[in-house]
Amino acid sequence: MSSLGINFLGVDFKNPLVTSSGCFGFGMEYKDYFDPNILGGIGIKGLTLEPRDGNYGTRIAETPSGMLNCVGLENPGIEYFKKVTLPLMKKEGINTNIIANINGSTIEDYIKIAKEVENIPEIKIIELNISCPNVKDGGMAFGANPEVAGRVTKEVRNVTTKPLVVKLSPNVTDIAGIAKIVEENGADAISLINTVLGMAIDIRSKKPLLGNTFGGLSGPAVKPIALRMVYQVYKAVKIPIIGMGGIASPEDALEFIMAGATLVSVGSVIFPNPLLPVEIIEGMEKYCKDNGIANISELIGIVHR
Ligand SMILES: Cc1cc2nc3c(=O)[nH]c(=O)nc-3n(C[C@H](O)[C@H](O)[C@H](O)COP(=O)(O)O)c2cc1C
């Protein structure tokens, strides 16, 4: 195995770098920049049962060291994904691991979409995004209520044999507590963090800038929060972690691994620097070589020892 090769939940990854859902489309969109197959895996845009247009109005705003988005899960829906997008991905030669990010407005939605994904052999891993608003709970995110987070994890666990990663929202007080609950309810791994709730105001119109009033903050601004949460969750659970939030360099990626992440995921910083994944993979390889690390797994959680 090369210095970066790693096994995650029984799936071989050529390196620990994956892309974050919503920041890398379905992989093919970046083919002009680099071969997406150099990635350990591709986290594809969040899928829902039905196609979604997403939110109206302004959906993106820049912030110092980051961005706000309220895209609102615009996606073609699971049927279109199966019939059109996935065959296109294959035609375009994408053969690295695919991580499907699934979303719903009710627990029933999550169960239905998980059953659909269960029957797609090309999907190696399911990532359950519990940052979505729960319409039966007044719009509060599934991941903000420990009881509901546990329940949705358990229900999805019951209908899938694929490795199940639960993606946590950072908009909670006790991230380690939520991580433990999803572990107890059958999660095979945890990914974190999703975006941090924020807002911006347009002082000319004197109105919220974003169409949805609030948006999710991502990018380097959130990295210290994400790193702290990966550190806390690593201490609290036994299952592996996919770490993300503001990763902008090989050094950032290594910090997440040292805090406890087995895989690391790049998101928003791909927008200003589409070659970032290549730089991170090369930088991690060089770090291992320069520091006599036979395999990067030696560094997972090393800061705790
Ligand atoms: C434009 C945009 C769209 C996103 N869409 C999704 C999504 O569909 N599902 C999901 O779980 N996370 C989504 N995210 C969150 C990212 O996957 C990631 O968790 C977050 O942005 C933190 O990482 P980053 O700071 O490296 O971007 C989205 C983020 C952005 C910026």
Side-chain angles (χ1 to χ4, degrees), residues 134-148:
N134 178 353
V135 295
K136 290 196 180 157
D137 191 18
M140 189 183 184
F142 286 88
N145 176 332
E147 192 273 319
V148 180

Side-chain angles (χ1 to χ4, degrees), residues 23-50:
C23 302
F24 200 66
F26 293 92
M28 341 174 252
E29 296 85 344
Y30 282 82
K31 272 187 74 181
D32 287 348
Y33 293 99
F34 66 93
D35 175 5
N37 293 320
I38 66 158
L39 295 162
I42 298 174
I44 57 173
K45 175 62 193 168
L47 293 168
T48 50
L49 276 177
E50 304 297 333

Side-chain angles (χ1 to χ4, degrees), residues 20-22 45-46 69 73 101 129 167 193-194 218-219 244 246 267-268:
S20 304
S21 180
K45 175 62 193 168
N69 95 82
L73 280 173
N101 182 276
N129 176 16
K167 183 167 179 182
I193 60 172
N194 212 313
S218 60
M244 72 194 83
S268 309

